[in-house]
């Protein structure tokens, strides 16, 4: 079959052996595969990524000297089953799948391991237990975005954003736009998006942001229409004084029980939730400095370099720092159905389509934030430009 092979940082269309499904696996004919920012990173920095992955306990991440088929955001039709499958769906059924397979007891990341060729190809192997049929006649282009939207849904769930709680999205590339879409789908009423690119700010508004900000001209914190009564540490201290004055004015009130109840119900005063979707050195420290006290920061952007921040800044402001990566199978399935049921619309993210011969050009085009967000690969297409 034909596939786009990455080796030594170069992409080329090549003929490679058609995949054979192992036990519990099936082959699907790829209809679409999204190009992810992690693919762009892996093309040029896979050796550094592999070293990092090895430290975390995954030793099989791709290396630059290997010949790897990238692509982990795919949808396709079932071609054949391997041994030991339950054969839940007929051949020709459109499906999506988590981009991970298991050979024996060895997991392999599809599209990021030489042992698990990805979706920039005519066919790809998936695990039956991690596969889901596309429901409700969902458009193929939209089904292909299940994987990146699931990443965003996991981040939003990890952020635990209340509907009336301000949410800030810093960086409106594909993952930031997906986070905005999922916040909107979750019913969050106040979403502030910040990006230097006018094109990305336009897409952010289409995805559901209430306020979009050019950080060259305005701070997202001052642009927030829902002003918080806590903007600094002094406000927290005064809130404590005011609360105690009121409570202790009531004779014999066991006021300490009210504090315990507030903590048990997670009803204590809180700040906004910030989604860091940039992934460059210095951004975390900048957010710790600028964000109001009691903020929860969810780091979604993947910074590939060593970074520095001041823990004392986060401590003094009691800022909560969380890191999000991937999703679980339930979140993946729920994301697919949210898209199919019309609760979230991934259409604004899709800005172009190419065939296998156009993947190299697409990687170049994605380097400009003013042009594209998500480019899809259609293995049956002859398009080479976007």
């Amino acid at each position: 079959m034909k596939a786009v092979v990455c080796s030594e940082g170069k992409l080329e269309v090549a003929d490679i052996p058609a995949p054979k499904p192992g036990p519990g696996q099936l082959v699907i004919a790829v209809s679409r595969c999204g190009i992810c920012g992690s693919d762009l990173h892996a093309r040029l920095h896979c050796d550094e990524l592999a070293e990092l992955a090895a430290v975390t306990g995954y030793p099989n991440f791709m290396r630059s000297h290997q010949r790897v088929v990238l692509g982990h955001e795919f949808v396709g039709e079932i071609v054949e089953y391997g041994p030991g499958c339950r054969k839940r769906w007929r051949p020709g059924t459109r499906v999506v799948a988590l981009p991970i397979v298991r050979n024996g007891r060895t997991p392999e990341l599809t599209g990021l391991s030489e042992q698990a060729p990805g979706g920039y190809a005519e066919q790809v192997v998936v695990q039956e237990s991690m596969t889901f049929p596309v429901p409700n006649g969902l458009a193929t282009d939209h089904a292909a975005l299940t994987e990146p939207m699931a990443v965003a849904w996991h981040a939003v769930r990890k952020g635990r954003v209340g509907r009336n709680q301000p949410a800030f999205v810093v960086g409106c590339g594909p993952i930031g736009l997906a986070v905005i879409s999922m916040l909107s789908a979750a019913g969050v009423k106040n979403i502030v998006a910040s990006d230097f690119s006018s094109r990305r700010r336009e897409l952010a508004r289409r995805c559901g942001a209430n306020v979009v900000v050019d950080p060259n001209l305005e701070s997202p914190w001052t642009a927030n229409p829902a002003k918080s009564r806590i903007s600094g540490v002094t406000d927290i201290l005064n809130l404590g004084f005011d609360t105690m004055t009121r409570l202790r004015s009531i004779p014999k009130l066991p006021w300490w029980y009210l504090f315990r109840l507030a903590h048990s119900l997670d009803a204590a005063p809180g700040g906004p939730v910030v989604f860091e979707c940039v992934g460059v050195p210095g951004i975390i420290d900048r957010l710790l400095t600028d964000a109001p006290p009691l903020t929860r920061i969810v780091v979604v952007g993947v910074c590939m370099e060593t970074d520095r921040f001041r823990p004392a800044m986060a401590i003094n402001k009691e800022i909560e720092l969380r890191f999000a990566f991937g999703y679980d199978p339930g979140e993946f399935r729920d994301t697919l159905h949210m898209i199919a049921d019309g609760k979230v619309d991934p259409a604004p993210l899709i800005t172009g389509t190419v065939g296998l011969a156009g993947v190299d050009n697409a990687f170049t085009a994605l380097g400009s934030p003013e042009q594209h967000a998500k480019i899809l690969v259609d293995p049956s297409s002859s398009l080479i430009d976007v």
Side-chain angles (χ1 to χ4, degrees):
M1 69 171 182
K2 291 193 178 298
V4 177
V5 176
C6 179
S7 184
E8 301 293 352
K10 297 180 180 179
L11 300 171
E12 63 174 351
V13 180
D15 288 309
I16 66 172
K20 296 295 183 182
Q25 298 174 348
L26 57 141
V27 173
I28 66 173
V30 178
S31 302
R32 300 287 189 279
C33 183
I35 298 177
C36 177
S38 61
D39 296 336
L40 274 65
H41 285 304
R43 176 190 184 182
L44 300 176
H45 306 289
C46 61
D47 290 326
E48 297 97 313
L49 288 168
E51 294 295 334
L52 178 65
V55 172
T56 65
Y58 178 71
N60 297 334
F61 199 91
M62 62 183 284
R63 298 282 183 168
S64 59
H65 68 274
Q66 297 174 330
R67 291 176 59 79
V68 177
V69 179
L70 297 169
H72 56 271
E73 305 174 357
F74 46 77
V75 58
E77 297 182 356
I78 295 175
V79 174
E80 66 171 314
Y81 286 93
C85 287
R86 294 183 59 185
K87 300 183 179 180
R88 292 175 171 86
W89 313 285
R90 290 179 294 183
T93 301
R94 287 189 308 144
V95 295
V96 294
L98 274 72
I100 187 168
V101 295
R102 187 165 65 171
N103 300 321
R105 297 292 298 176
T106 303
E108 303 284 358
L109 299 179
T110 305
L112 294 169
S113 167
E114 189 178 41
Q115 303 303 317
Y120 298 174
E122 293 177 323
Q123 295 182 344
V124 66
V125 169
V126 297
Q127 208 77 25
E128 185 185 34
S129 61
M130 298 291 188
T131 300
F132 306 89
V134 175
N136 298 349
L138 177 63
T140 296
D141 283 2
H142 294 182
L145 267 67
T146 301
E147 200 277 344
M149 299 301 285
V151 171
W153 183 232
H154 175 72
V156 168
R157 293 185 72 242
K158 187 170 281 286
R160 294 191 294 110
V161 191
R163 291 193 173 191
N164 296 314
Q165 191 174 15
F168 293 81
V169 179
V170 180
C172 299
I175 191 59
L177 295 173
V179 167
I180 293 168
S181 298
M182 285 305 193
L183 286 168
S184 180
V188 177
K189 299 176 182 178
N190 185 19
I191 306 169
V192 180
S194 173
D195 199 286
F196 292 106
S197 164
S198 59
R199 170 66 166 153
R200 288 182 172 181
R201 292 196 302 273
E202 172 196 347
L203 292 173
R205 193 175 292 279
R206 288 177 57 192
C207 288
N210 307 98
V211 177
V212 293
V213 174
D214 180 351
N216 274 322
L217 304 175
E218 186 178 12
S219 165
W221 316 111
T222 58
N224 177 21
K227 303 300 181 184
S228 172
R229 58 177 174 169
I230 298 176
S231 60
V233 173
T234 298
D235 295 326
I236 297 177
L237 298 176
N238 279 326
L239 178 62
F241 276 111
D242 294 341
T243 300
M244 287 301 294
T245 298
R246 293 189 184 97
L247 291 177
R248 304 204 78 169
S249 67
I250 303 174
K252 299 183 179 181
L253 176 71
W255 53 266
W256 52 94
Y257 285 112
L258 298 180
F259 277 82
R260 294 174 188 172
L261 180 63
H263 283 296
S264 64
L265 298 177
D266 196 24
V273 180
V274 178
F275 296 87
E276 188 280 287
C277 301
V278 180
V280 298
I283 189 67
I284 293 177
D285 191 63
R286 179 66 182 269
L287 292 176
L288 293 176
T289 301
D290 293 347
L294 307 180
T295 291
R296 179 180 302 122
I297 298 175
V298 182
V299 180
V300 193
V302 181
C303 179
M304 299 311 304
E305 303 173 53
T306 300
D307 201 0
R308 299 176 61 186
F309 64 85
R310 292 166 289 176
M313 182 68 71
I315 291 170
N316 288 336
K317 297 166 77 171
E318 281 215 343
I319 288 179
E320 186 177 339
L321 194 59
R322 298 185 172 194
F323 294 83
F325 177 78
Y327 39 77
D328 62 42
E331 290 168 329
F332 189 94
R333 180 266 177 203
D334 288 347
T335 298
L336 172 63
H337 283 265
M338 290 170 71
I339 298 172
D341 294 343
K343 295 179 180 178
V344 60
D345 180 14
L349 277 73
I350 302 172
T351 56
T353 302
V354 295
L356 295 176
V359 170
D360 195 15
N361 290 338
F363 270 51
T364 301
L366 286 167
S368 171
E370 293 296 339
Q371 292 184 9
H372 289 285
K374 178 68 65 177
I375 297 176
L376 301 180
V377 179
D378 177 357
S380 67
S381 172
S382 60
L383 292 172
I384 60 174
D385 293 314
V386 285

